[in-house]
Amino acid sequence: MAKKQTAGRDNLGDFAPKFAELNDDVLFGQVWSREDQLSAHQRSLITISALISAGNFEQLPAHLKIGKSNGITKDEIAEVITHLSFYVGWPKAWSAFGIAKKIFTD
């Protein structure tokens, strides 16, 4: 089961309490906990792929760390990013590799 998420409340609770609640309780609480449909490992791969595809690199480090804790290996993330490079663009892959290398070589 996915770890209880508090990032919404920690970072935006005072400024945007409803968004923080939806992030922590709905997205990470209800959606990520549906492991009988998709495992946390699969959800991490999908989320990381979506972030890279859209060029949302600001959230990528956090999700790579979550993915690593959900069992994604260095070899697996390298293969995912290599595969994505042909579909989402070489520059996005380079950017993603720079971030992933820092996370997965720690």
Side-chain angles (χ1 to χ4, degrees):
M1 177 150 231
K3 181 181 148 195
K4 172 102 172 106
Q5 181 63 257
T6 62
R9 285 182 178 87
D10 294 347
N11 294 298
L12 293 172
D14 293 337
F15 186 76
K18 187 61 177 180
F19 183 86
E21 174 192 339
L22 293 169
N23 182 80
D24 296 352
D25 299 342
V26 178
L27 174 58
F28 284 97
Q30 295 174 23
V31 176
W32 274 80
S33 67
R34 295 168 38 101
E35 291 189 25
D36 50 328
Q37 280 79 25
L38 289 171
S39 69
H41 184 270
Q42 291 169 314
R43 287 182 193 278
S44 284
L45 287 173
I46 292 164
T47 302
I48 290 165
S49 295
L51 291 172
I52 294 169
S53 297
N56 294 323
F57 298 109
E58 204 170 298
Q59 289 79 31
L60 191 57
H63 278 283
L64 285 167
K65 289 174 188 171
I66 292 168
K68 188 176 179 183
S69 72
N70 287 335
I72 295 174
T73 66
K74 177 188 81 62
D75 291 341
E76 191 172 24
I77 199 65
E79 187 62 26
V80 166
I81 297 170
T82 299
H83 184 80
L84 282 172
S85 68
F86 290 93
Y87 292 93
V88 305
W90 211 254
K92 287 180 181 176
W94 267 104
S95 296
F97 270 125
I99 297 166
K101 184 178 176 185
K102 290 176 187 170
I103 305 289
F104 283 86
T105 55
D106 288 344

